[in-house]
């Protein structure tokens, strides 16, 4: 009956290695925030600003395609 819950046969479970990597990344982020909260906030702000720039660039690209 698993096919009714997952009609595309996509593997939904994660292996132990994937879980270990995710746990290590989360622990590293927590340690980084605890040791250097100001720098961590700066990195997060830069990442969000970069993401906004990517979105702006994509919007400009698609508008220029539409306008010819």
């Amino acid at each position: 009956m698993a096919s009714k819950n997952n009609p595309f046969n996509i593997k939904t479970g994660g292996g132990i290695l994937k879980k270990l990597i995710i746990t290590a990344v989360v622990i590293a982020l927590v340690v980084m925030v605890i040791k250097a909260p100001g720098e961590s906030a700066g990195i997060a702000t830069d990442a969000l600003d970069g993401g906004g720039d990517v979105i702006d660039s994509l919007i400009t690209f698609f508008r220029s395609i539409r306008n010819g």
Side-chain angles (χ1 to χ4, degrees), residues 21-65:
I21 291 171
I22 291 172
T23 303
V25 169
V26 169
I27 290 172
L29 289 173
V30 170
V31 168
M32 190 171 94
V33 168
I34 291 173
K35 287 193 172 202
E39 292 177 9
S40 300
I43 291 170
T45 302
D46 290 344
L48 290 174
D49 288 343
D53 291 341
V54 169
I55 292 170
D56 290 339
S57 297
L58 287 172
I59 290 171
T60 303
F61 173 75
F62 287 116
R63 282 182 180 165
S64 62
I65 288 176

